[in-house]
């Protein structure tokens, strides 16, 4: 694994809690390199996450950080973005956090369409709690809880995001750091809600979806795929067979939530209470 | 002969959708502009049409903040109303109703009052409300011009036809009211000499919202739930004027997490809900405790558990606010009891949240939020603005250890430092740690502020004179008005009252106020939650608890009787 030094690296002494060989490392490299190459100003970058191993990602990236509660990365990111729209807000969390505990927020964050980027570490298993099924686990995988194999249909984040008309939807494979970096760069540069679902092997608890498995079962979208064609994207997101990687859908110009609800350019921390005249005018309406 | 020299209690009762709200608002405006002291509260069913709802209006010579059991005039817009209020109807109650509506339920003692007949004569049943307001104005003897002027202002936007039709309906009602007043020889107080100048009329929701705006609140994220929705609606209506970011959340969990996120970014954030919604928000309370991030949480209380009585009132969420969230951390709870206190409490909540970097609760209830009364403009206080936000330098540590446990608070994008916060136990820079020593230091840091927080706690308001009192009746939150009036009604020097607008933490200075006196706590819940808290924190025994959890607020008479029973 190559590791290019970036402005977002933490000190080498940082105690990283990820297992040796974890796909999180590769994804982390891709994120740092993307931010570095985009020349994002560290002072304006807030990394937001929920809970889980993937959610520790902001701990290992040198920027502002909000590591909140399980499933609640998106509401926190919403508040952060609305408090200061000059901030670049990148949410990074796992499949359990984003699609399980935070499923409702995932739906409504897309409906709002804030200018944030959501990167999901999708390893199809709950790692930190020792290997139970996640919403994206494939049917049949046995676990200490799903003893007869996963019975439920896996959550399809791309199809759900497409159904909700998310304006930027991509899928990556962390084993290919260079391509993952490029997709993340596009997502962060995109104006609006951007989702990058990233396949990322859990080397300890997912013995099905391994590095080898992802290599054999993924394929990059053909150059001919028209990313503005939502119906085609939906077809690709729901098709059986090899899982496509790349930008499924990209649609410019959808209105941002920040604009719709009239969030001004001035960060809220700079706002002062209303002056006495404005306040007295308010009071006057109750005479 | 009916003389109401100091105090009239009128009740309007009818089905949801019949326009009780309109009659009440019209009358309150006109009475207020005429210089009367008014108090109005409302009780309604959890339905959109039908059922039986009531609003009470009191016209008094003093400012009042409670309702009376006694009804002097009942305007029954549907037969159900009489059944609903039978325990409050006395021989002296004048009952206004339309005979054709009542059929076999008609009682010859009622005053046949043509609400609908006059409306139809005017052109449509929709004018019934105006007729009703006209009748009341006539009975009270307000100048008709005051009413017709008001209608002109109110309906100007709807065109000349609407204004003139309403004026016709008003006049028909008014003349009927004058004749009835003469017939029944009704005499009423004349308005206060001072008139209405300097006096404002508003409901509790408005006062709470004014307090939020005064404090510079600029972010609200909430999920609608009665009676917490009023603050969301109010701030949404004022959002453009005052630069408030308003987000209707997908659920309460999102609301509080968004509020904390916004506060991390430097917003002055509030969330508003009711007990059932707050159940969901608890994880956010412990997050705020861990992140040492200010958040103001308004809980408009209603009866629980679960969905309870959705539109009724109770003070049952004190324990919830007190114990919400796991782990040990500091918090404060405010519970205003008047319009003045609502305005002040909200500002105080933001100051405490910012100064101590903690979650702060404001507990209200349906009764207080929906009650409409007057407030002297000169008593509207604006507390000085305080901000705890600093410009960070490189190497900034969000959780730096200090003597008082409070770290200078930076926000992302302001200064050269990085603001790193984590819900896991963390070190001074916000990085995850499992060091036992660091854990211990962080727990101590988070709790160290409790002393200063207690010392800054609001002292209770003393009602009457404590020096002569052998029994002290204690209330918190919305029961201030009813306690004041009940004590005044009893008029016994051996009795005094204390009202707590801050139930937690308690100021250590309160101890002398409670010594050598019999303590009685009254509260609108089943077990006496504040009585327990007070006893636990002061070591004093509470002799009696006056509790009520029917879903209704206390009336003046029932509190007076309960207290009298204790001292006799």
């Amino acid at each position: 694994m190559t590791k290019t030094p970036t402005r977002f690296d933490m000190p080498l002494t940082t105690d990283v809690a990820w297992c040796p060989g974890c796909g999180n490392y590769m994804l982390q490299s891709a994120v740092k390199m993307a931010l570095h190459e985009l020349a994002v100003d560290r002072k304006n970058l807030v990394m937001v996450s929920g809970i889980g191993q993937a959610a520790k990602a902001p701990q290992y990236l040198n920027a502002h950080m909000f590591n909140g509660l399980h499933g609640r990365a998106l509401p926190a990111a919403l508040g952060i973005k609305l408090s200061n729209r000059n901030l670049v807000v990148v949410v990074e969390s796992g499949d359990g956090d984003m699609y399980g505990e935070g499923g409702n927020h995932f739906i409504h964050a897309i409906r709002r369409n804030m200018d944030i980027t959501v990167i999901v570490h999708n390893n199809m298993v709950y790692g930190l709690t020792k290997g139970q099924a996640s919403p994206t686990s494939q049917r049949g995988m046995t676990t200490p809880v799903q003893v007869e194999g996963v019975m439920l249909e896996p959550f399809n984040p791309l199809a759900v995001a497409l159904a909700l008309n998310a304006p930027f939807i991509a899928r990556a494979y962390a084993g290919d750091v260079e391509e993952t970096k490029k997709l993340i760069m596009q997502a962060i540069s995109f104006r609006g809600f951007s989702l990058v679902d990233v396949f990322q092997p859990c080397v300890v608890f997912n013995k099905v979806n391994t590095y080898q498995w992802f290599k054999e079962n993924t394929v990059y979208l053909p150059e001919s795929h028209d990313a503005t064609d939502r119906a085609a994207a939906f077809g690709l997101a729901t098709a059986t067979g090899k899982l496509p990687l790349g930008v499924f859908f990209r649609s410019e110009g959808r209105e941002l939530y920040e604009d719709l609800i009239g969030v001004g350019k001035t960060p809220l921390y700079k706002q002062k209470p209303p002056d006495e005249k404005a306040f007295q005018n308010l009071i006057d309406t109750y005479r | 002969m009916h003389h109401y020299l100091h105090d009239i209690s009128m009740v309007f009762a009818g089905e949801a959708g019949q326009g009780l709200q309109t009659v009440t608002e019209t009358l309150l405006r006109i009475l207020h502009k005429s210089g009367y002291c008014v108090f109005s509260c409302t009780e309604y069913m959890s339905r959109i049409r039908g059922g039986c709802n009531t609003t009470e209006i009191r016209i008094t010579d003093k400012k009042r903040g409670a309702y009376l059991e006694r009804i002097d005039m009942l305007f029954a817009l549907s037969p159900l109303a009489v059944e609903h209020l039978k325990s409050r109807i006395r021989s002296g109650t004048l009952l206004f109703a339309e005979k054709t509506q009542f059929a076999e339920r008609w009682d010859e003692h009622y005053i046949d009052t043509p609400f609908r007949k006059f409306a139809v004569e005017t052109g449509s049943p929709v004018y019934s409300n105006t007729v009703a307001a006209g009748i009341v104005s006539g009975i009270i003897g307000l100048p008709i011009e005051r009413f017709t002027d008001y209608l002109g202002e109110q309906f100007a936007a709807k065109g000349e036809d609407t204004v003139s039709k309403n004026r016709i309906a008003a006049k028909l009602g008014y003349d009927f009211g004058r004749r009835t007043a003469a017939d029944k020889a009704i005499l009423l107080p004349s308005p206060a000499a001072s008139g209405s100048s300097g006096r404002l009329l508003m409901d509790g929701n408005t006062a709470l919202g004014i307090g939020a705006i005064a404090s510079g609140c600029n972010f609200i994220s909430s999920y609608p739930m009665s009676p917490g929705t009023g603050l969301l609606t109010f701030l949404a209506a004022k959002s453009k004027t005052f630069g408030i970011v308003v987000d209707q959340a997908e659920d309460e969990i999102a609301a509080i997490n968004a509020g904390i996120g916004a506060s991390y970014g430097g917003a002055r954030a509030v969330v508003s809900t009711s007990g059932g919604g707050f159940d969901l928000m608890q994880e956010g309370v412990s997050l705020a405790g861990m992140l040492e991030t200010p958040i103001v949480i308004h809980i408009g209380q209603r009866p629980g558990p679960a969905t309870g009585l959705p539109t009724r009132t109770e003070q049952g969420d004190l324990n919830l606010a007190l114990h919400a969230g796991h782990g040990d951390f500091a918090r404060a709870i405010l519970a205003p009891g008047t319009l003045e206190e609502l305005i002040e409490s909200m500002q105080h909540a933001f100051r405490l949240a910012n100064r101590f970097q903690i979650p702060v609760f404001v507990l209200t209830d349906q009764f207080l939020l929906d009650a409409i009364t007057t407030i002297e403009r000169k008593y509207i206080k604006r507390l000085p603005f305080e901000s705890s936000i600093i410009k960070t330098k490189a190497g900034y540590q969000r959780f730096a250890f200090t003597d008082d446990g409070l770290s200078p608070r930076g926000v992302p994008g302001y200064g050269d430092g990085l603001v790193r916060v984590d819900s896991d136990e963390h070190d001074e820079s916000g990085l995850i740690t499992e060091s036992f020593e660091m854990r211990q230091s962080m727990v101590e840091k988070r709790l160290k502020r409790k002393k200063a927080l207690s010392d800054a706690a609001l002292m209770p308001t003393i009602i009457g004179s404590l020096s002569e009192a052998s029994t002290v009746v204690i209330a918190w939150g919305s029961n201030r008005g009813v306690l004041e009036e009940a004590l005044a009604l009893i008029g016994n020097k051996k009795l005094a009252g204390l009202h707590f607008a801050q139930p937690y933490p308690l100021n250590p200075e309160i101890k002398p106020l409670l010594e050598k006196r019999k303590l009685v706590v009254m509260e609108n819940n089943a077990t006496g939650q504040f009585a327990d808290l007070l006893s636990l924190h002061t070591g004093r025994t509470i002799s009696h608890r006056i509790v009520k959890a029917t879903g209704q607020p206390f009336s003046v008479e029932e509190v007076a009787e309960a207290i009298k029973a204790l001292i006799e």
Side-chain angles (χ1 to χ4, degrees), chain B residues 229-388:
Chain B
T229 318
L231 182 65
L232 176 65
T233 314
F234 181 87
L235 292 180
K238 311 292 175 197
S239 60
K240 284 228 163 61
T241 314
F242 294 105
I244 303 164
V245 175
V246 179
D247 172 64
Q248 183 178 317
E250 59 269 25
D251 56 37
E252 286 85 351
I253 298 170
I256 191 158
N257 279 282
I260 294 168
S263 182
Y264 162 82
R268 291 167 81 85
V270 67
V271 295
S272 186
T273 186
S274 181
F278 181 72
D279 282 350
L280 290 172
M281 289 187 173
Q282 296 195 49
E283 61 165 41
V285 177
S286 64
L287 179 67
M290 187 54 125
L291 302 190
E292 302 182 44
T293 297
I295 183 81
V296 176
I297 301 156
H298 168 237
I299 306 180
Q301 299 168 102
R302 71 190 215 193
T307 313
L309 291 168
T311 61
R312 307 291 171 175
T313 202
E314 200 161 292
Q315 294 182 299
D317 298 345
L318 177 60
N319 281 342
L320 178 66
L322 195 59
H323 302 293
H326 57 291
D328 293 312
F329 55 94
R331 71 187 71 204
I333 304 174
L334 301 168
T338 60
L339 292 178
E340 292 82 347
E341 285 183 352
L342 280 159
I343 295 172
E344 216 176 312
S345 286
M346 210 44 164
Q347 299 176 69
H348 198 56
F350 276 96
R351 284 161 64 93
L352 289 177
N354 283 298
R355 192 185 299 167
F356 294 103
Q357 307 181 17
I358 52 167
V360 176
F361 300 87
V362 179
L363 290 186
T364 64
D365 52 43
Q366 181 272 329
F367 166 69
L368 184 67
L369 292 170
D370 288 342
I372 302 171
T373 186
T374 51
I375 174 171
E376 298 286 336
R377 191 183 191 125
K378 63 185 174 196
Y379 295 139
I380 295 181
K381 267 199 218 161
R382 276 194 85 179
L383 304 181
F385 176 68
E386 282 182 3
S387 171
S388 60

Side-chain angles (χ1 to χ4, degrees), chain A residues 59 63 67-68 72 257 280, chain B residues 247 283 377 419-420 422-423:
Chain A
Q59 282 274 331
N67 181 193
R72 315 303 172 212
Y257 187 58
Q280 291 304 331
Chain B
D247 172 64
E283 61 165 41
R377 191 183 191 125
V419 184
R420 300 170 65 91
D422 203 298
S423 65

Side-chain angles (χ1 to χ4, degrees), chain A residues 143-199:
Chain A
T143 83
V145 174
Q146 287 71 28
V147 289
E148 302 206 19
V150 171
M151 297 170 189
L152 307 183
E153 185 70 17
F155 181 80
N156 186 330
L158 304 189
V160 170
L162 278 161
L164 294 164
N165 204 16
F168 184 98
I169 302 166
R171 183 156 63 198
Y173 164 51
D176 187 343
V177 177
E178 190 57 29
E179 283 304 314
T180 300
K181 178 200 76 182
K182 285 183 195 161
L183 288 170
I184 290 171
M185 285 176 74
Q186 285 190 60
I188 293 173
S189 310
F190 185 82
R191 192 174 175 278
F193 184 94
S194 50
L195 171 69
V196 189
D197 182 74
V198 187
F199 289 142

Side-chain angles (χ1 to χ4, degrees), chain B residues 111-124:
Chain B
I111 298 162
D112 189 9
T113 314
F115 301 115
R116 190 184 158 90
K117 181 168 168 280
F118 284 163
V120 172
E121 277 173 33
T122 308
S124 159

Side-chain angles (χ1 to χ4, degrees), chain A residues 43 58-59 61-65 67-68 72 75 104-105 112 257 268 271 273-274 276 280 283-284 286-287, chain B residues 29 200-201 213 218 234 243 247 250-251 253 258 283 377 382 385 416-423 430 432:
Chain A
K43 278 188 278 179
Q59 282 274 331
L61 192 146
N62 202 9
H64 298 291
M65 167 194 82
N67 181 193
R72 315 303 172 212
N104 195 28
H105 310 309
R112 284 191 181 88
Y257 187 58
L268 297 186
Q271 267 189 15
E276 197 50 29
Q280 291 304 331
I283 298 289
D284 273 339
Y286 302 95
R287 280 211 314 226
Chain B
R29 284 262 141 233
L200 312 165
L201 180 75
I213 287 171
N218 52 21
F234 181 87
D247 172 64
E250 59 269 25
D251 56 37
I253 298 170
E283 61 165 41
R377 191 183 191 125
R382 276 194 85 179
F385 176 68
D416 294 324
L418 291 183
V419 184
R420 300 170 65 91
V421 299
D422 203 298
S423 65
I432 292 177

